[in-house]
Amino acid sequence: MKEIYLIDGTGLIYRSFYAIPDLKTTTGIKTNAIYGFTTTLLKILKEKKPKYIAVFFDLQKPTFRHITFEKYKEKRRPMPEDLSAQITAIKEVLSAIGIKYIEKEGYEADDLIASFIEKLKCYNFTFFIISNDKDILQLIDKNIFVINPIDYKLINEEFVIEKYGFKPEKIIDFIALAGDPSDNIPGIPGIGEKTAISLLSKFNSLEEIYNNLEKIESKNLKNKLEVHKEIAFLSKDLAKLNRNIFNDVNLEEIKINSPNLPRLFEIFEMYEFKKIKDIVKEIYPEINEIKNIENIIGLSTGEVLNYSDIFKNLDKYKDILENEKVAKIGFNLKDKIVELKQKGVNLKNIEFDFSIAKHLTGKFIYNNNIFELKKEYENLLNTFNMYDLFKSIEMPLIDVLVWMETTGIKVDVEFLKQLKERFDKEIEEIINKIYSLSGETFNINSPNQVGEILFEKLKLPILKKTKTGYATDIYVLKQLSSFHPLPQYLLEYRELHKIKSTYIEGLLNFVNKETGRIHPVFSQTSTSTGRLTCSNPNLQNLPIKTQRGGLIRKSFCAEGDNLLYSFDYSQIELRILAHFSEDPVLIDAFEKNKDIHNETAELILSSETLFSSLTFDTLSKDEKRRIAKTINFGIIYGMSPYGLSKELGIPVEESVIFIQRYFNRFKKVKEYIEYVIKKAEKTGYVETLLKRRRYIPEINSSNKNEKEFGKRVAINMPIQGTASEIIKLAMNKIYYEFKRKKIKSNLILQIHDELLFEVYPNEEIEIVEIIKNIMKNVVILKVPLKVDIKKGKNFLEMEEVRD
């Protein structure tokens, strides 16, 4: 017997959209409905292996039900823009998999499914409907089943009878009586599901109920039925599915076709669905016939090498890989260079990395011919005006990242072990104090148990709750510390526990036993702003805010007589803001080398009352500078008055005044921000100084929160992205200058605007001049670039080097 699977596509799209609310690509494109729909579809294909399958969609046009009853589905909001934007992609997924989708103006997906089945019922096929709509249950019989896409349970006649007490065909009578809020089908006011079930257990249909009203004992119920007879029969008409839409149905049309796997992969890459590929491989074994182009290195000689073959025959390929006259192209070349370097092979003359091209353009192009693929990406990069960014910054950076990863950073392992012992003792002492103050032992790492101790046993004030219980985050514990000593000890425990587990034990696990160094992995394709990321471990996120946390930096040291040198761009993002906005006040401050935060404090903080509990005169110079610094960087990150008020701990009304004062003083900054937002709304994207592009679909969203997020991205991305490009340019120039002059000192770490070097004693004077000059002059902005320099034996204890 043939099995036919029919999917309510519209219902599945909505469920996916709301079930996975926050899923989006790194460039901000919403993908939640596409992902949820695709994973459900693939699960059905994998587990059920259907030969016949079709997906049915509603069209955004009034149906016969809207014409019959104006309030039909009135309570449903219009389809969100973020959802409607994903419909096309979902249909592309279906086409690529080889599944037919069906839609017809004036009818809903449920009606189309009912009509489709009606035309094929005489053939005694078995039908499986994937839907969680109540009205679809009316179709169930011995050969028609419903699969709920939420839990994948099979719903048959027995299930309906057990749940409702009547057969599936009575579902329309049930809805006529009780209504269906999801579709705004009214039913009879005052009659709920229990009463409806009771009535249908005695009578076979709505018609039979009205033919036997005298047998209904309850006067109140009888009155409701009499008064609302018209509504009841209207509701039944609305609930009844139309089974007469199609004149004819061709079963072969819904036979699943061979998938277009390259196109499917393009879609998955475009929307960053990495895990889905593995499911596809299980469903379609023939996928292995498609060449794994990511495992290929193309040579300018026209030869193509398989990377796994290279690893098996290193001696055979060594000469060609190290030949500087032969250019190489491929995917993730930085990682391949590092791997080969560990095997004694130096992969030279890297010309084109597709992973970087894909990241910059946001486009995945599938082509088995690696040389044709290169041409396609070059055209795309030129179209986006990003070829120079690709060629002059991102490609040369590969060598720099290899340099950093292979050199690594020296770690004082003994110091870390001693620190661990010290923190173990401190943790034990704190735990004993916590148990003593609470009067019992409990799991300190359990928020629920901590909440019970604080709020139920000690009766401390409840500041806020979560879905699972009491909130016990850092903010809450800090507030509670003024009521009882226990919260402060909990804060200390958490700090020490995190430092010990995440940093001390975590770092020790990454120390290479042969080199005594940590060799982290840097990525240039992980952020939309172009910032580098660091992993295994993340050394860009070392603790520094507390004295204990800062000690972790002391473990990073120079080897032997070497020294660590730090070169840090001073307030580079504010300088970029001055360049973009051309604000004369900002430019003047930077040209005269003023402290921009003190300058801002003087310009926008007055002797008027600033806080409800503090006046201007009570604030120290440092406190004024801190406020101004928060405002300066808040402007760059598009911070709202509410965000600023939370950051400074002041009323929103006062933060509004601060921002107004700021823009009154820095008028060009306000004009620039307004210009950037308007341009992003018009084009859908923003750009950095060197033309890196980020698309911001949220900027035109009807959702207020998403639109505000889009505005913040529009303000910040060009600034942060330009800062990342400037330091990358500097890294490239430093690398090639070091190689040209055969300097032995090494760049070992990049932390956003800061570069850390391990310097040989006899090269100190030379490298300071080289690095300082390159960083200051790598680009010419409307304000000077300033570099702060420090040196020391370890990353914590460093002293300033005067320029």
Side-chain angles (χ1 to χ4, degrees):
M1 185 181 291
K2 284 179 179 157
E3 293 185 350
I4 300 170
Y5 287 78
L6 307 172
I7 301 174
D8 175 1
T10 301
L12 184 54
I13 286 172
Y14 269 97
R15 190 185 72 81
S16 301
F17 182 78
Y18 290 109
I20 320 169
D22 300 321
L23 193 65
K24 58 180 72 173
T25 66
T26 51
T27 56
I29 298 171
K30 275 254 186 180
T31 58
N32 51 344
I34 308 167
Y35 183 81
F37 183 94
T38 304
T39 50
T40 301
L41 186 67
L42 291 176
K43 183 178 175 71
I44 293 164
L45 295 178
K46 180 184 174 183
E47 295 182 0
K48 307 301 181 183
K49 298 179 174 56
K51 290 184 179 179
Y52 298 91
I53 186 168
V55 178
F56 298 81
F57 291 115
D58 299 350
L59 286 174
Q60 298 300 305
K61 294 283 180 74
T63 67
F64 69 92
R65 293 184 180 87
H66 293 93
I67 295 166
T68 306
F69 181 56
E70 286 185 9
K71 293 184 179 180
Y72 179 67
K73 291 192 177 181
E74 185 183 55
K75 292 179 183 177
R76 286 197 187 180
R77 291 176 295 175
M79 180 179 284
E81 285 182 23
D82 293 329
L83 175 54
S84 59
Q86 298 180 62
I87 301 294
T88 301
I90 287 169
K91 290 177 178 177
E92 286 179 354
V93 168
L94 288 170
S95 297
I97 291 176
I99 293 174
K100 184 178 177 62
Y101 61 87
I102 299 168
E103 51 196 7
K104 193 174 178 66
E105 195 170 308
Y107 299 98
E108 296 177 61
D110 288 351
D111 296 305
L112 298 174
I113 290 171
S115 296
F116 199 89
I117 291 173
E118 190 66 25
K119 288 295 176 185
L120 296 173
K121 276 180 83 173
C122 59
Y123 297 105
N124 211 27
F125 298 149
T126 301
F127 297 93
F128 296 94
I129 306 167
I130 292 84
S131 173
N132 64 337
D133 276 3
K134 190 189 297 177
D135 56 0
I136 206 76
L137 301 180
Q138 65 188 271
L139 299 178
I140 292 175
D141 65 18
K142 63 178 181 176
N143 291 326
I144 303 172
F145 306 90
V146 171
I147 297 174
N148 189 327
I150 297 173
D151 54 18
Y152 295 95
K153 283 185 178 177
L154 186 75
I155 301 172
N156 54 19
E157 276 188 312
E158 290 73 22
F159 178 91
V160 175
I161 292 168
E162 185 178 340
K163 182 174 181 178
Y164 295 103
F166 51 74
K167 288 189 174 184
E169 60 261 26
K170 284 192 183 182
I171 283 290
I172 54 175
D173 301 283
F174 173 74
I175 294 173
L177 294 165
D180 186 352
S182 65
D183 288 337
N184 203 36
I185 296 177
I188 296 177
I191 290 184
E193 291 193 358
K194 286 186 179 179
T195 305
I197 289 171
S198 175
L199 285 168
L200 290 170
S201 66
K202 297 173 185 176
F203 306 100
N204 287 323
S205 65
L206 186 69
E207 289 78 5
E208 191 172 322
I209 291 170
Y210 276 97
N211 289 335
N212 294 278
L213 284 178
E214 71 281 357
K215 294 181 181 178
I216 295 173
E217 296 177 1
S218 169
K219 289 184 180 179
N220 184 33
L221 177 57
K222 183 179 179 181
N223 183 56
K224 287 176 183 177
L225 288 164
E226 287 175 337
V227 171
H228 299 291
K229 181 178 180 180
E230 189 176 336
I231 291 175
F233 280 96
L234 170 65
S235 297
K236 183 169 181 175
D237 286 340
L238 295 172
K240 189 175 183 180
L241 296 179
N242 188 332
R243 306 189 189 204
N244 299 300
I245 299 170
F246 300 113
N247 294 324
D248 191 26
V249 166
N250 183 356
L251 185 60
E252 290 306 301
E253 283 187 5
I254 66 164
K255 192 171 186 178
I256 192 166
N257 295 319
S258 298
N260 181 347
L261 293 175
R263 176 57 188 147
L264 197 59
F265 286 169
E266 281 185 23
I267 297 168
F268 291 167
E269 286 285 343
M270 187 187 308
Y271 297 114
E272 299 172 10
F273 297 160
K274 295 175 183 176
K275 293 181 180 178
I276 290 183
K277 270 189 176 181
D278 295 331
I279 304 172
V280 175
K281 286 177 183 177
E282 292 180 41
I283 299 170
Y284 304 108
E286 64 268 27
I287 198 171
N288 296 320
E289 295 174 12
I290 294 179
K291 194 185 296 179
N292 185 3
I293 199 165
E294 294 186 12
N295 197 38
I296 286 172
I297 293 179
L299 308 179
S300 55
T301 58
E303 191 179 355
V304 171
L305 305 180
N306 189 291
Y307 188 60
S308 55
D309 290 341
I310 291 171
F311 245 70
K312 293 173 187 174
N313 303 280
L314 287 171
D315 292 337
K316 177 182 175 182
Y317 295 109
K318 190 176 192 301
D319 289 344
I320 191 74
L321 294 174
E322 293 185 342
N323 189 328
E324 294 191 31
K325 293 180 180 179
V326 178
K328 289 89 180 177
I329 62 175
F331 288 79
N332 298 310
L333 291 175
K334 186 264 295 178
D335 295 338
K336 290 179 172 67
I337 294 170
V338 172
E339 281 183 324
L340 289 168
K341 206 175 185 74
Q342 291 167 350
K343 299 292 182 181
V345 177
N346 292 310
L347 184 60
K348 295 179 180 178
N349 193 359
I350 302 302
E351 184 185 26
F352 201 98
D353 190 315
F354 295 100
S355 301
I356 297 172
K358 177 171 76 76
H359 178 69
L360 287 177
T361 60
K363 304 289 184 183
F364 177 80
I365 305 169
Y366 194 95
N367 191 323
N368 269 330
N369 186 311
I370 199 166
F371 303 106
E372 289 178 7
L373 184 63
K374 177 175 176 281
K375 290 178 183 177
E376 290 185 61
Y377 268 118
E378 284 175 334
N379 291 336
L380 196 57
L381 286 163
N382 279 313
T383 301
F384 287 177
N385 203 18
M386 281 195 281
Y387 191 77
D388 189 53
L389 170 67
F390 173 81
K391 206 68 180 171
S392 64
I393 296 182
E394 297 298 342
M395 285 304 299
L397 190 68
I398 291 175
D399 287 333
V400 183
L401 299 185
V402 171
W403 179 32
M404 292 166 66
E405 288 186 21
T406 52
T407 303
I409 183 167
K410 180 69 178 174
V411 178
D412 188 337
V413 172
E414 284 307 309
F415 173 77
L416 278 180
K417 288 180 178 178
Q418 290 168 13
L419 201 60
K420 180 179 181 298
E421 288 179 12
R422 171 184 153 184
F423 285 176
D424 279 335
K425 289 178 184 177
E426 289 187 34
I427 288 170
E428 188 177 350
E429 289 172 5
I430 290 171
I431 288 173
N432 290 333
K433 287 177 182 176
I434 288 171
Y435 289 160
S436 175
L437 287 166
S438 61
E440 64 177 275
T441 60
F442 62 96
N443 183 355
I444 301 173
N445 296 315
S446 166
N448 287 337
Q449 291 187 33
V450 169
E452 288 171 9
I453 294 292
L454 293 175
F455 306 113
E456 294 179 13
K457 184 171 184 178
L458 299 179
K459 306 296 182 186
L460 296 181
I462 299 167
L463 301 182
K464 61 177 179 177
K465 283 192 169 187
T466 65
K467 291 180 180 179
T468 55
Y470 305 106
T472 60
D473 54 37
I474 292 175
Y475 170 78
V476 169
L477 293 179
K478 280 183 178 178
Q479 296 287 100
L480 293 175
S481 295
S482 59
F483 296 95
H484 196 279
L486 180 59
Q488 183 57 42
Y489 283 115
L490 288 168
L491 284 169
E492 288 188 42
Y493 168 81
R494 286 184 184 179
E495 180 196 359
L496 282 170
H497 185 266
K498 181 173 178 62
I499 293 170
K500 191 193 87 162
S501 59
T502 303
Y503 296 106
I504 299 177
E505 293 172 348
L507 290 175
L508 284 170
N509 289 333
F510 282 105
V511 176
N512 185 300
K513 291 179 181 178
E514 293 179 10
T515 65
R517 293 172 172 264
I518 285 177
H519 299 267
V521 176
F522 293 93
S523 171
Q524 63 195 115
T525 59
S526 298
T527 67
S528 57
T529 60
R531 271 190 167 187
L532 291 178
T533 61
C534 179
S535 60
N536 296 330
N538 181 5
L539 299 183
Q540 293 179 329
N541 192 31
L542 297 173
I544 195 173
K545 289 184 178 179
T546 65
Q547 189 175 4
R548 285 168 173 152
L551 287 171
I552 297 298
R553 290 189 169 224
K554 191 174 180 178
S555 66
F556 295 99
C557 56
E559 195 156 13
D561 295 330
N562 296 348
L563 286 170
L564 295 184
Y565 264 84
S566 162
F567 296 81
D568 190 0
Y569 274 122
S570 173
Q571 299 167 345
I572 190 169
E573 291 183 349
L574 289 170
R575 292 172 191 269
I576 292 166
L577 176 63
H579 174 81
F580 281 149
S581 67
E582 300 181 345
D583 185 272
V585 183
L586 267 184
I587 290 174
D588 181 69
F590 284 124
E591 283 181 342
K592 292 177 179 175
N593 199 26
K594 295 178 182 178
D595 183 308
I596 191 63
H597 302 313
N598 284 336
E599 187 75 4
T600 302
E602 287 181 22
L603 288 169
I604 71 170
L605 303 182
S606 70
S607 58
E608 301 170 31
T609 300
L610 299 175
F611 306 89
S612 51
S613 59
L614 290 173
T615 62
F616 180 82
D617 295 331
T618 65
L619 294 173
S620 67
K621 186 176 180 180
D622 286 344
E623 286 173 321
K624 292 172 188 174
R625 188 180 187 277
R626 180 184 69 84
I627 293 168
K629 184 178 180 180
T630 304
I631 296 168
N632 275 329
F633 286 111
I635 296 299
I636 291 173
Y637 290 100
M639 189 182 286
S640 66
Y642 173 76
L644 183 62
S645 72
K646 195 172 180 183
E647 193 74 23
L648 293 176
I650 61 173
V652 175
E653 295 80 9
E654 288 171 346
S655 67
V656 168
I657 293 170
F658 276 169
I659 291 174
Q660 286 174 346
R661 286 183 188 172
Y662 181 96
F663 285 133
N664 285 338
R665 292 291 183 176
F666 302 100
K667 291 184 171 64
K668 283 282 189 178
V669 172
K670 186 178 184 182
E671 288 176 18
Y672 165 72
I673 288 172
E674 290 171 349
Y675 164 76
V676 167
I677 291 171
K678 284 180 182 176
K679 187 177 179 183
E681 287 173 340
K682 184 179 179 180
T683 63
Y685 64 86
V686 287
E687 288 181 326
T688 62
L689 184 67
L690 298 176
K691 304 303 179 186
R692 181 183 302 273
R693 184 180 292 191
R694 172 168 179 177
Y695 285 90
I696 315 173
E698 296 92 342
I699 197 86
N700 292 311
S701 173
S702 58
N703 182 300
K704 183 183 176 183
N705 291 335
E706 292 200 352
K707 187 173 182 67
E708 289 303 312
F709 169 78
K711 288 180 180 179
R712 291 196 296 273
V713 171
I715 297 165
N716 175 248
M717 189 274 173
I719 295 170
Q720 194 178 97
T722 299
S724 75
E725 289 163 0
I726 289 172
I727 201 159
K728 283 178 179 179
L729 267 174
M731 291 164 71
N732 289 343
K733 292 197 172 189
I734 290 166
Y735 172 77
Y736 290 110
E737 188 66 11
F738 273 32
K739 295 305 167 189
R740 187 178 71 83
K741 294 194 171 186
K742 294 183 170 57
I743 290 171
K744 293 180 181 178
S745 300
N746 291 298
L747 172 60
I748 55 175
L749 189 61
Q750 188 253 39
I751 304 178
H752 306 315
D753 305 328
E754 178 183 11
L755 299 178
L756 187 67
F757 292 80
E758 185 173 359
V759 179
Y760 284 78
N762 62 333
E763 294 180 340
E764 273 189 77
I765 297 172
E766 184 181 14
I767 72 105
V768 167
E769 283 304 306
I770 290 172
I771 296 168
K772 182 179 66 178
N773 288 331
I774 287 174
M775 289 182 73
K776 282 185 174 182
N777 300 296
V778 70
V779 294
I780 304 302
L781 301 180
K782 294 181 176 71
V783 294
L785 289 173
K786 183 184 176 185
V787 181
D788 295 328
I789 308 171
K790 291 181 181 179
K791 71 174 182 177
K793 283 298 294 181
N794 63 66
F795 199 19
L796 177 66
E797 298 164 333
M798 302 186 81
E799 60 184 29
E800 187 178 348
V801 177
R802 294 288 179 183
D803 195 345

